[in-house]
Amino acid sequence: MATLTDDVVALPDGGRPSPTLPENWRTVSRPDRRVFQRADRDHYIVFGDGTDEWLVVLCSQGDRAYPAPLAHRTVAEEADLERVIQELAEESNALIEPPKGEH
């Protein structure tokens, strides 16, 4: 039951530590993948493995039937995947302007 909720924060993929993410992001373990989800917007980061590289995608679901990609990176398998996830989380945070009065 716990794997079906959005509040499952775990060390997925055999206990590998999650990347250090901005405060408004969390790691969510799903049965088939690890998802990095923004807590204050419907932005999330997913990744898939290819033959020699990773595809890392920042998406937004919104009211659409399918997620809309906002940004992506294709990186070699031996690349620093944690750094790429951190960059996309920061890019997501930069896409949303802070409320008036907060800078």
Side-chain angles (χ1 to χ4, degrees):
M1 182 73 169
T3 59
L4 301 177
T5 69
D6 284 342
D7 296 323
V8 178
V9 179
L11 294 177
D13 301 332
R16 287 191 302 172
S18 297
T20 303
L21 296 170
E23 207 173 276
N24 61 330
W25 282 81
R26 63 183 180 197
T27 302
V28 179
S29 181
R30 300 280 188 215
D32 61 340
R33 72 185 65 209
R34 181 167 54 161
V35 176
F36 303 95
Q37 188 171 23
R38 190 169 163 170
D40 57 342
R41 299 279 180 192
D42 74 343
H43 291 185
Y44 54 96
I45 298 169
V46 296
F47 59 97
D49 55 338
T51 53
D52 295 326
E53 56 194 18
W54 293 97
L55 176 62
V56 188
V57 184
L58 169 64
C59 301
S60 177
Q61 184 71 42
D63 58 358
R64 293 173 292 278
Y66 297 99
L70 301 173
H72 74 280
R73 306 281 191 282
T74 303
V75 295
E77 281 185 344
E78 61 275 353
D80 185 357
L81 193 58
E82 179 174 337
R83 184 185 54 77
V84 172
I85 293 166
Q86 290 169 345
E87 287 174 3
L88 286 174
E90 290 169 9
E91 190 169 332
S92 167
N93 286 348
L95 288 173
I96 307 297
E97 290 188 32
K100 290 184 180 187
E102 291 183 27
H103 292 280

